[in-house]
């Protein structure tokens, strides 16, 4: 029997012998199960589970059968199966895929109302993490990074393990997947850095992955009165904290106090920003002590470890070096030359001379300079003895100095396959350009043996040394290097050999080196350097003054005048920096009710929503990427419910934000913040039935702007007005619809549900800043419609540069601009820059955040030339020279143009400057005078541009009646002289107005000072009188 067999331990008394086989079988000792038990008890049974079923209950283990015992030795040697949850989801019983759990809301960074200065401050974490957690190497589901194929290959580039290939058409990483690259003035997601200040984009290609917030200490602390504290925290390691109290005059006449704070730890992300006193616990009139401030702002930081920094000048210099070590405006880039039939590293390093295609490429990229005596950035090249060659390639781009290590310009060593003198420089460059001649083999990054080369830009030339030379580009980067722009077009080109390709390639190289700083190797090196700086400060540059006793030593920067009274609810929303909320975001609009109405093609992504006075960003904390950004002046409207908000921006695009917490609390805070920093408003949801004839009763153009509403229709009854803008039609946002689809929905749907953006107070349709900017670029071509140019005539791009400028400055036809005219929209946009939103729910006494962004619409902006490969062409330095050399030989009066054109253009530029500098306080008659002067300047420019040329025929009967008679030279001279005198008088009036305003402000400040002094003297006199009355025994009266 099993109970008495050899090798089997006996447990307890021996069982009573019996002949019953069933009883003997039950008395056998239980064997361990063959596999781990997978049935888990459910706290609540689903509707598909029966009482007592295997899925609903956990049964006791069944004794093993003899056959199972016979094979127990085989099962024991096999690895145990992983526990599975087969019956936890009822859908699994039906063979359906299990539902994915909803993503969690990200935790909001501490403290709650801290206004962050830049993006990387949003990602500051008090818990130290190893490399790879929360870095750019992690991916968010639905982003291209999660589907990157490192094995992708083409005729330019071969895939390799450990590398990611970009062959073209990848797009930019955005919310929910790849998005098309933005055009100016919008910024790419990777280029967004500073949030508290405007970050304008003026060029076609932006520099990305740059920590521009590193200059925060230099701008707001260095050379100003502030306090530095250093210490060694048990959990955070060496820590450096900088504190400064600021005092500003609010628009309501009170004094606003805030604290600027920097917290540095060994992680490369720094906490930078501001917190208002209204968001802090009540304190004494002279402000909080440093300990109380840090207990609220940095509760995880041990206050006992901090000591006041020494007064040595080394301390601020060291902090500058520590913060700005990530900022560098000097870059070095390697260039390898690959001839036809070559592909290995040794073959490229052993090319002695550069061929004509390679020299053509180098001349396009930069300037060949002589190294001996070279005084600019030399990139470790010898500029004294020519030991590293006699010449090199050097250029500048967007305030960066770039020195190229060209393989054929470095010293060549005969009979040396490795060419160490060349590899010594190129092998230590992070970014390497591989130039391929036609017929060369595809480049494989594993052929390069280096620990520093992380990014390879493969450039292949087509039709070299001809007028039709073009280039194709492919990119290979290591897997721990995040993606960077500019995005490659599909197929990697072709790029014409022009200045646009040069700007693209230089921006790609600079962004590649900046992005490689997030790779494991360079991240570790930067962390070690930062730790050494902090360790030195915490050890050698501290005093014996602790944080507890720091307030006793008189801190002028942390003390000030008496706090102003609270400005009412929502005062903490007035900060200029970015306030943060935890949201789940998705592209498209789902409607206020939360139903699936926007046709979203991706799941919600946990994000941190940051809203500053200048920008709105969504940052994925899991991988540290900005997945969405837009300027606050591009916010059009919003639709909100208790825990959801649909935000419309730009041309009407939408994103959905879902929030956590008490219903309506977070949404109310976000809406109040948007009302302060943007010109948007709440949308209206309208259900429009058709009348008896099947009509809706309104008309709209292709942009969704309502142009006409019929009287006494359902549309008018519902509140639809001319000038309103349709944002959604039947649950679809207009930018997501193909051309004509919106009109089809409006004509076919039995009942039309629309989301409407009401017009502004003047009845004009609301537009974002990006739309106004685009319309200002298209305005010259729209105004030029009065002059019908024949089809065989050259376009604006084919005219000389001087005539292009004149053509772009042509005004409209005769008559004042209509109510819907772009010029009037631009003037209204300028007037409303500093005006508060009429829908603000906060206190009227709250100061309005100033809009420091310059008005770009008032500058004379030329229409860009036709872009190559779908990209804009940036301005180059060659254009002035080209324009100066282009003269019209048929000009009958060159002296007249040389005399009046510069003066008129100068007048126009001066007027634009006056209009941009003048605020909303300028009187209406002054604006009318400025507009009349600008119109006259446009008339003169039009006359000068048309002089000596026949006016083309036009089929428009309204046509060119304004320019039937050309003005005489004498009248032009008189007009210009009159304009100059008017402009001088206007400038004098504006200067006088500014002086009067400054004197008035100074007088108001003096009155406030005297008022405070008299109040203090009155309180002092009342106190002395009270003490005297007590001493004399008189009854005390309340004299205060």
């Amino acid at each position: 029997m099993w109970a008495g067999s050899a090798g089997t331990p006996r447990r307890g008394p021996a069982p009573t012998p019996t002949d019953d086989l069933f009883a003997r079988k039950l008395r056998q000792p239980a064997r361990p199960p063959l596999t781990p038990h997978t049935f888990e008890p459910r706290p609540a049974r689903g509707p598909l589970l029966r009482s007592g079923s295997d899925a609903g209950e956990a049964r006791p283990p069944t004794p093993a059968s003899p056959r199972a015992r016979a094979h127990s030795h085989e099962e024991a040697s096999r690895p145990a199966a992983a526990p599975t949850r087969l019956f936890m989801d009822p859908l699994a019983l039906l063979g359906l895929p299990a539902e994915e759990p909803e993503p969690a809301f990200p935790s909001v960074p501490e403290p709650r109302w801290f206004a962050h200065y830049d993006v990387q401050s949003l990602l500051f974490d008090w818990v130290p993490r190893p490399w790879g957690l929360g870095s750019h190497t992690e991916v968010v589901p639905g982003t291209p990074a999660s589907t990157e194929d490192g094995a992708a290959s083409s005729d330019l580039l071969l895939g390799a393990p450990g590398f990611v290939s970009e062959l073209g058409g990848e797009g930019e990483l955005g919310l929910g997947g790849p998005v098309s690259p933005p055009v100016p003035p919008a910024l790419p997601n990777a280029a967004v850095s500073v949030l508290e200040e405007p970050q304008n984009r003026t060029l076609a290609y932006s520099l990305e992955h740059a920590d521009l917030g590193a200059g925060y200490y230099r701008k707001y602390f260095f050379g100003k009165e502030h306090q530095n504290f250093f210490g060694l925290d048990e959990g955070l390691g060496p820590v450096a904290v900088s504190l400064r109290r600021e005092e500003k005059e609010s628009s309501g006449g009170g004094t606003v106090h805030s604290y600027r704070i920097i917290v540095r730890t060994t992680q490369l992300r720094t906490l930078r920003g501001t917190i208002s006193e209204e968001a802090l616990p009540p304190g004494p009139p002279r402000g909080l002590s440093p300990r109380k401030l840090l207990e609220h702002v940095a509760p995880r930081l041990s206050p006992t470890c901090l000591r006041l920094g020494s007064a040595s000048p080394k301390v601020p210099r060291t902090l500058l070096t520590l913060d700005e070590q990530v900022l560098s405006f000097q870059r070095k880039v390697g260039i390898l030359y690959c001839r036809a039939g070559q592909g290995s590293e040794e073959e490229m390093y052993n090319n002695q001379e550069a061929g004509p295609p390679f020299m053509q490429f180098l001349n396009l990229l930069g300037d060949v300079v002589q190294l001996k005596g070279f005084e600019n950035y030399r990139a470790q090249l010898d500029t004294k003895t020519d030991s590293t060659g006699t010449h090199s390639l050097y250029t500048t781009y967007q305030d960066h100095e770039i020195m190229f290590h060209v393989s054929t310009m470095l010293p060549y060593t005969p009979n040396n396959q490795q060419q160490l003198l060349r590899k010594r420089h190129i092998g230590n460059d992070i970014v390497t350009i591989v130039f391929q001649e036609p017929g060369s083999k595809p480049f494989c990054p594993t052929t390069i043996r280096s620990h520093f080369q992380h990014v390879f830009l493969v450039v292949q030339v087509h039709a070299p040394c001809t007028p039709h030379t073009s280039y194709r580009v492919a990119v290979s980067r290591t897997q721990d290097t995040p993606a960077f722009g500019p995005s490659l077009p599909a197929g990697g080109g072709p790029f014409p050999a022009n200045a646009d390709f040069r700007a693209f390639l230089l921006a790609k190289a600079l962004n590649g080196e900046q992005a490689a700083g997030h790779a494991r190797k360079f991240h570790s090196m930067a962390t070690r350097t930062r730790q050494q700086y902090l360790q030195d400060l915490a050890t050698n540059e501290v005093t014996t003054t602790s944080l507890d006793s720091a307030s006793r030593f008189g801190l002028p920067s942390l003390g000030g005048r008496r706090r102003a009274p609270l400005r009412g609810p929502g005062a903490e929303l007035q900060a200029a920096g970015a306030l943060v909320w935890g949201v789940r975001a998705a592209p498209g609009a789902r409607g206020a009710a939360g139903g699936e109405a926007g046709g979203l093609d991706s799941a919600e992504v946990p994000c941190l929503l940051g809203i500053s006075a200048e920008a709105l960003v969504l940052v994925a904390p899991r991988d540290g990427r900005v997945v969405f950004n837009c300027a606050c002046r591009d916010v059009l409207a919003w639709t909100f419910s208790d825990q959801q908000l649909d935000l419309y921006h730009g041309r009407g695009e939408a994103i959905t934000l879902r929030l956590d917490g008490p219903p309506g609390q977070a949404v109310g805070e976000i809406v109040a913040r948007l009302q302060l920093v943007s010109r948007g408003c709440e949308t209206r949801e309208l259900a429009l039935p058709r009348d008896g004839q099947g009509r809706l009763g309104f008309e709209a153009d292709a942009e969704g702007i309502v142009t006409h509403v019929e009287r006494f229709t359902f549309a008018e009854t519902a509140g639809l007005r001319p000038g309103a803008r349709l944002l959604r039609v039947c649950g679809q946002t207009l930018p997501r619809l193909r051309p004509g689809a919106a009109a089809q929905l409006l004509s076919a749907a039995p009942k039309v549900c629309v989301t409407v953006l009401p017009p502004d107070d003047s009845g004009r349709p609301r537009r974002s800043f990006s739309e106004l900017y685009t319309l200002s670029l298209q305005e010259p071509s729209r105004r030029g419609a009065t002059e019908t140019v024949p089809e065989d005539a050259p376009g604006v791009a084919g005219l000389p540069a001087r005539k292009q400028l004149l053509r772009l400055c042509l005004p409209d036809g005769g008559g004042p601009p209509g109510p819907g005219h772009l010029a009037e929209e631009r003037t209204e946009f300028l007037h409303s820059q500093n005006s508060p939103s009429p829908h603000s729910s906060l206190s009227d006494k709250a100061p309005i955040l100033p809009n420091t962004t310059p008005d770009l619409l008032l500058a004379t902006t030329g229409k860009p030339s036709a872009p190559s490969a779908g990209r804009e062409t940036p301005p180059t330095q060659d254009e002035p020279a080209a324009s100066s050399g282009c003269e019209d030989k048929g000009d009958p009066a060159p002296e007249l143009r040389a005399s009046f054109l510069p003066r008129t253009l100068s007048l126009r530029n001066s007027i634009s400057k006056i209009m941009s500098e003048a605020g909303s306080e300028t009187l209406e008659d002054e604006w009318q005078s400025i507009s009349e002067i600008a119109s006259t300047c446009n008339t003169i420019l039009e006359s000068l541009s048309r002089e000596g040329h026949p006016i083309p025929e036009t089929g428009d009967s309204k046509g060119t009646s304004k320019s039937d008679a050309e003005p005489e030279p004498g009248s032009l001279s008189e007009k210009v002289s009159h304009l100059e005198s008017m402009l001088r008088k206007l400038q004098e009036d504006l200067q006088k107005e500014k002086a009067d305003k400054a004197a008035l402000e100074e007088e108001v400040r003096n009155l406030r000072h005297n008022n405070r002094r008299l109040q203090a003297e009155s309180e002092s006199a009342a106190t002395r009188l009270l003490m005297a009355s007590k001493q004399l025994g008189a009854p005390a009266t309340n004299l205060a």
Side-chain angles (χ1 to χ4, degrees):
M1 295 180 62
W2 285 101
S5 61
T8 302
R10 298 178 60 90
R11 298 180 180 178
T16 306
T18 177
D19 294 332
D20 190 350
L21 181 61
F22 182 76
R24 287 187 298 174
K25 194 171 184 180
L26 288 179
R27 290 174 180 174
Q28 295 173 0
R31 298 282 178 167
L34 299 180
T35 58
H37 200 40
T38 59
F39 301 105
E40 299 182 3
R42 292 174 58 94
R45 298 189 180 96
L48 298 180
L49 300 181
R50 299 189 304 270
S51 176
S53 65
D54 292 340
E57 297 179 0
R59 297 183 174 180
T62 308
S65 64
R67 181 181 298 272
R69 292 195 300 268
H71 295 279
S72 61
H73 65 282
E74 299 178 3
E75 298 294 340
S77 61
R78 298 177 184 175
T84 57
R85 304 171 65 88
L86 297 179
F87 300 102
M88 290 301 294
D89 194 335
L91 296 177
L93 293 175
L94 302 178
L96 300 176
E99 293 183 354
E100 294 291 337
E102 289 188 352
F105 289 93
S107 58
V108 179
E110 298 176 354
R112 177 64 187 90
W113 295 113
F114 189 80
H116 297 267
Y117 180 72
D118 57 354
V119 169
Q120 63 93 35
S121 179
L122 295 176
L123 300 170
F124 179 82
D125 196 347
W126 292 101
V127 180
R129 297 185 181 185
W131 182 93
L133 297 178
S135 64
H136 286 269
T137 56
E138 299 184 35
V139 295
V140 177
T143 60
S146 60
T147 58
E148 287 176 337
D149 185 9
S153 303
S154 68
D155 57 338
L156 276 71
L157 178 65
L158 296 178
F163 287 86
V164 178
S165 300
E166 296 180 13
L167 306 179
E170 289 82 5
E172 185 192 17
L173 294 176
L175 183 62
V179 296
S180 57
V183 297
L187 285 170
N189 289 330
V192 179
S193 179
V194 177
L195 300 176
E196 185 176 323
E197 301 165 1
Q199 192 175 349
N200 298 320
R201 176 184 179 185
T202 57
L203 299 178
Y205 307 116
S206 300
L207 299 185
E208 303 174 358
H209 297 283
D211 183 13
L212 301 180
Y216 187 66
Y217 182 80
R218 179 185 294 274
K219 185 171 185 178
Y220 295 103
F221 290 83
F222 188 74
K224 300 178 177 64
E225 206 166 9
H226 66 282
Q227 306 299 320
N228 297 312
F229 297 91
F230 310 119
L232 296 174
D233 188 84
E234 294 181 357
L236 301 175
V239 179
V241 180
S242 299
L243 304 175
R244 178 170 176 259
R245 192 186 193 214
E246 282 189 341
E247 180 180 293
K248 294 182 180 179
E249 296 288 339
S250 65
S251 59
T255 302
V256 180
H257 293 99
S258 60
Y259 298 93
R260 290 198 178 270
I261 303 169
I262 303 178
V263 179
R264 310 171 185 86
T265 61
T266 53
Q267 63 168 316
L268 296 184
R269 289 167 180 159
T270 305
L271 182 67
R272 310 184 187 105
T274 311
I275 188 167
S276 174
E277 279 195 351
E278 279 70 23
L280 296 172
R286 294 186 60 82
L288 294 176
S289 64
R291 181 185 179 90
K292 294 294 184 182
L293 177 63
L294 290 180
E295 284 179 353
H296 182 79
V297 175
R300 301 194 184 186
L301 180 61
S302 175
T304 58
C305 71
L306 295 179
R307 295 292 183 271
L308 183 66
S310 66
S312 170
K314 176 186 175 183
V315 172
R317 291 198 301 267
T318 304
L319 290 176
L320 275 181
T321 305
L322 174 66
D323 289 349
E324 298 180 359
Q325 65 173 338
V326 296
L327 295 180
S328 177
F329 296 94
Q330 296 175 337
R331 302 292 183 181
K332 54 180 182 176
V333 179
I335 302 181
L336 287 175
Y337 178 36
C338 183
R339 290 182 179 271
Q342 295 181 349
S344 65
E345 179 184 25
E346 288 77 11
E347 291 173 336
M348 289 185 284
Y349 273 119
N350 280 275
N351 289 324
Q352 299 186 37
E353 300 295 336
F358 190 40
M359 289 304 302
Q360 181 188 17
F361 173 72
L362 296 181
N363 292 330
L364 174 66
L365 206 58
D367 301 322
V368 177
V369 297
Q370 186 176 0
L371 288 178
K372 181 174 288 187
F374 188 70
E375 297 180 353
N376 294 331
Y377 177 58
R378 60 185 183 90
Q380 288 81 46
L381 296 178
D382 185 10
T383 58
K384 297 181 179 180
T385 61
D386 290 340
S387 62
T388 56
T390 59
H391 293 78
S392 187
L393 192 68
Y394 172 85
T395 190
T396 58
Y397 180 71
Q398 294 197 27
D399 299 329
H400 284 72
E401 292 183 275
I402 307 175
M403 176 63 79
F404 296 92
H405 292 153
V406 185
S407 60
T408 57
M409 295 183 178
L410 293 171
Y412 174 77
T413 306
N415 303 323
N416 186 354
Q417 283 294 107
Q418 293 188 355
Q419 295 295 329
L420 296 180
L421 293 180
R422 293 181 170 182
K423 192 172 183 179
R424 165 192 168 192
H425 294 281
I426 300 179
N428 287 325
D429 294 334
I430 299 175
V431 178
T432 304
I433 299 176
V434 181
F435 178 82
Q436 295 178 342
E437 286 187 349
S440 60
K441 298 179 182 179
F443 173 76
C444 183
T446 55
T447 61
I448 305 297
R449 296 177 293 274
S450 172
H451 296 288
F452 283 88
Q453 292 171 293
H454 280 57
V455 178
F456 297 95
L457 307 180
V458 184
V459 180
Q460 189 175 82
V461 62
H462 296 271
C465 303
T466 65
H468 307 288
T469 302
S470 62
Y471 300 92
R472 290 176 56 209
V473 181
V475 180
S476 179
R477 55 182 172 87
T478 57
Q479 287 183 343
D480 54 0
T481 300
F484 54 91
S487 301
L488 289 173
F495 295 88
N498 54 18
D500 177 54
F501 172 65
R502 172 186 178 271
F504 173 87
L505 195 60
L506 293 179
K508 195 73 173 176
L510 293 177
N511 293 338
E513 182 167 350
Q514 195 68 39
H518 299 282
R520 181 189 301 269
K521 181 179 182 63
F522 302 109
H523 184 277
S524 301
M525 295 170 57
T527 302
R528 287 196 301 268
T529 304
R530 184 181 181 90
Q531 186 173 7
Q532 292 173 1
Y533 275 113
L534 291 174
Q535 188 81 23
D536 177 69
L537 289 172
T539 305
N540 303 323
E541 300 298 335
V542 293
T543 63
T544 58
T545 305
S546 65
L547 193 64
D548 295 326
S549 56
S551 57
R552 304 176 186 174
F553 286 80
L555 300 178
S557 62
L558 296 182
R561 293 183 289 181
R562 186 179 300 274
R563 289 179 59 181
L566 293 179
R567 300 190 301 263
E572 62 276 359
L573 298 175
Q574 306 291 333
L579 303 178
V580 188
W581 291 267
V583 300
R584 295 205 307 255
R590 296 191 175 186
E596 183 69 21
L600 298 182
D601 52 4
S602 61
E604 294 177 345
V605 180
C607 295
L608 293 176
L609 169 66
I611 305 178
S612 70
E614 298 292 339
L616 183 148
V617 295
L618 286 173
V619 184
R622 182 180 175 184
D623 64 346
R625 287 192 179 101
V626 177
V627 296
F628 170 81
N629 84 93
C630 77
C632 289
R633 54 191 179 182
D634 281 342
V635 174
L636 288 172
W638 49 82
T639 304
F640 63 91
S641 59
D642 285 343
Q643 291 185 328
Q644 181 175 313
L645 185 140
D646 295 338
L647 186 70
Y648 298 90
H649 62 94
R651 299 183 302 108
E653 297 92 345
I655 59 173
T656 296
L657 305 176
R658 195 182 301 275
L659 297 104
D660 196 10
Q665 177 180 349
V667 171
E669 295 171 353
I670 294 176
V671 170
R673 178 68 168 169
L674 290 174
Q675 288 174 343
L676 287 174
V677 301
S678 71
R679 301 175 63 244
C681 65
E682 185 180 355
T683 61
R684 297 185 59 187
E685 303 283 344
L686 303 180
L688 305 178
R690 301 183 183 274
D691 58 9
Q693 301 179 356
R695 298 179 304 176
L696 292 174
F698 73 93
E699 298 177 358
D701 58 12
E703 295 180 336
I705 297 176
V706 178
T707 57
H708 175 69
V709 179
E710 297 182 4
R711 298 296 305 273
F712 311 111
T713 58
F714 291 111
E716 185 186 31
T717 304
L720 194 62
R721 296 291 181 267
R725 181 171 181 172
L726 304 181
L727 297 177
R728 279 201 312 161
V729 177
C730 298
Q732 301 290 330
T733 55
L734 261 64
R736 296 171 66 94
L737 297 175
R738 66 181 185 277
Q744 185 177 0
L745 286 175
L746 291 175
S747 60
K751 185 175 182 180
V752 178
C753 297
V754 294
T755 301
V756 179
L757 174 61
D760 59 12
D761 297 337
S762 59
R764 300 188 185 93
R766 297 179 185 266
R767 299 181 186 271
S768 65
F769 179 82
S770 297
E771 290 180 303
L772 294 176
Y773 180 83
T774 304
L775 289 175
S776 68
L777 296 180
Q778 300 172 354
E779 182 183 6
S781 59
R782 299 187 341 176
R783 291 185 171 183
T786 56
E787 291 184 288
T788 305
V789 182
E791 296 181 357
D792 55 350
V796 176
L799 296 176
R802 180 166 54 86
K803 293 186 176 295
Q804 291 183 30
L805 177 61
L806 296 176
R807 179 69 61 87
L808 295 177
C809 295
L810 292 180
D812 262 328
H821 199 273
L822 176 63
E824 192 168 354
E825 290 182 9
R826 296 195 307 172
T827 305
E828 175 65 22
F829 181 72
L830 178 67
H831 276 286
S832 59
Q833 284 296 305
N834 298 325
S835 59
S837 173
H839 306 278
S840 177
S841 61
L842 302 182
S843 174
D844 293 335
K845 296 182 181 180
I848 302 301
L849 295 171
N851 190 348
T852 57
T853 307
D855 189 2
L856 301 179
L857 302 180
L858 296 174
T860 305
T861 310
K863 183 178 180 181
S865 59
S868 61
R871 297 178 311 281
E872 287 196 8
T873 303
T876 62
Q877 300 176 354
D878 301 335
E879 294 178 359
S883 61
S884 62
C886 297
E887 295 292 339
D888 189 4
K889 297 181 180 179
D891 196 346
E895 296 83 2
L896 179 64
R897 288 207 165 116
S899 173
F900 293 111
L901 180 60
R903 298 170 64 185
T904 309
L905 290 178
S906 177
L907 283 171
R908 183 183 178 89
N909 294 336
S910 301
I911 294 170
S912 300
K913 182 177 180 181
I914 292 176
M915 295 176 74
S916 62
E917 291 180 352
S920 58
E921 301 175 357
T922 307
L923 300 178
E924 292 296 332
D925 54 353
E926 295 179 359
W927 280 106
Q928 184 65 27
S929 301
I930 296 175
S931 301
E932 293 176 357
I933 296 176
S935 301
T936 309
C937 286
N938 288 332
T939 305
I940 297 175
L941 290 174
E942 178 186 7
S943 302
L944 290 175
S945 63
R946 293 178 180 177
E947 186 173 335
H949 298 276
I951 302 177
E953 297 291 336
T954 176
D956 189 3
S957 58
K958 300 178 182 179
T960 58
S961 58
K962 178 180 178 180
S963 305
D964 290 339
E966 292 293 331
E968 295 295 329
S971 61
L972 285 176
S973 176
E974 294 175 359
K975 282 186 176 182
V976 172
S977 301
H978 180 62
L979 283 176
E980 289 178 344
S981 60
M982 290 179 62
L983 183 60
R984 283 193 298 269
K985 184 177 182 301
L986 186 59
Q987 288 177 341
E988 293 175 358
D989 294 341
L990 289 177
Q991 292 294 335
K992 183 179 179 182
E993 182 182 355
K994 290 180 180 178
D996 295 342
K997 184 178 178 180
L1000 182 60
E1001 291 177 352
E1002 182 66 24
E1003 184 177 356
V1004 170
R1005 283 194 294 268
N1006 293 334
L1007 289 175
R1008 288 177 183 168
H1009 178 71
N1010 294 334
N1011 187 21
R1012 286 192 294 267
R1013 181 176 56 80
L1014 292 175
Q1015 185 178 1
E1017 292 178 356
S1018 176
E1019 293 177 357
S1020 177
T1023 303
R1024 291 195 301 268
L1025 184 59
L1026 183 61
M1027 294 177 60
S1029 63
K1030 288 182 179 180
Q1031 292 176 359
L1032 295 176
T1037 57
N1038 188 7
L1039 301 175

